[in-house]
Amino acid sequence: MVSVYRKGRLAILIILCQAFFQIQTLSLQADEIAAKATTEGVASATTKADEGVIGTASYYAKRYNGRRMTSGKRYNPQELTAAHPTLPLGTKVKVVNVANNREVTVTITDRCRKKVSHFIDLSRAAARKLGFLGRGTTVVRIITLDEAVS
């Protein structure tokens, strides 16, 4: 038979586990609400005029060095290239960092997944020129310069 003391410890352990999992669930729900608010904020800030489209940009991880892109070329972190989910391959776009007004012209050479938090992946050289290489992401304006050349 199980002693009363062991039953009490087991009950306390179960109650603590339930409380911990509820706290974890609440924090996950808070993250979802914050992500939804961020997405709505970016969507409301998006403009499709001559000023371009505003959104969040990131850059390629080091593990992609030398891998083939959708265009067939191999990724070189020193080239000014980018990945975008919808723009045609070969399109030249001007990317302007909203925080510091630095700009760079890149060519779309790859596809990226449609993500909630950002919508363009830049090469490391482009991220360096825009001034956010160490931070990971930044808010940018994308202005299409011409149609696809391929």
Side-chain angles (χ1 to χ4, degrees):
M1 288 224 144
V2 179
S3 69
V4 176
Y5 178 72
R6 288 185 83 187
K7 283 184 182 179
R9 279 189 9 192
L10 183 62
I12 291 172
L13 182 63
I14 291 172
I15 290 170
L16 288 175
C17 287
Q18 288 177 345
F20 175 74
F21 287 123
Q22 286 178 351
I23 291 170
Q24 290 296 324
T25 305
L26 290 175
S27 65
L28 291 175
Q29 290 172 347
D31 290 343
E32 289 175 8
I33 291 169
K36 199 179 280 186
T38 303
T39 304
E40 290 171 359
V42 169
S44 67
T46 302
T47 59
K48 289 191 177 183
D50 289 333
E51 301 101 30
V53 181
I54 295 177
T56 307
S58 66
Y59 54 89
Y60 280 91
K62 288 183 180 180
R63 69 174 179 250
Y64 293 110
N65 293 357
R67 289 191 185 179
R68 289 211 182 268
M69 297 181 286
T70 306
S71 64
K73 295 181 180 179
R74 292 199 179 271
Y75 170 65
N76 180 355
Q78 301 306 318
E79 293 179 1
L80 297 176
T81 60
H84 193 275
T86 58
L87 287 174
L89 296 177
T91 303
K92 296 221 183 256
V93 294
K94 181 166 63 170
V95 182
V96 181
N97 188 342
V98 175
N100 59 15
N101 287 329
R102 291 186 185 179
E103 60 184 52
V104 66
T105 301
V106 296
T107 305
I108 303 297
T109 57
D110 201 5
R111 294 280 174 240
C112 60
R113 292 182 291 158
K114 294 182 181 179
K115 300 173 186 158
V116 176
S117 60
H118 60 279
F119 69 95
I120 190 166
D121 287 328
L122 299 168
S123 65
R124 296 178 83 75
R128 187 175 297 111
K129 284 194 174 191
L130 290 175
F132 76 99
L133 185 60
R135 284 180 271 151
T137 62
T138 190
V139 177
V140 295
R141 174 177 286 122
I142 298 176
I143 303 166
T144 305
L145 298 178
D146 63 0
E147 291 302 315
V149 291
S150 57

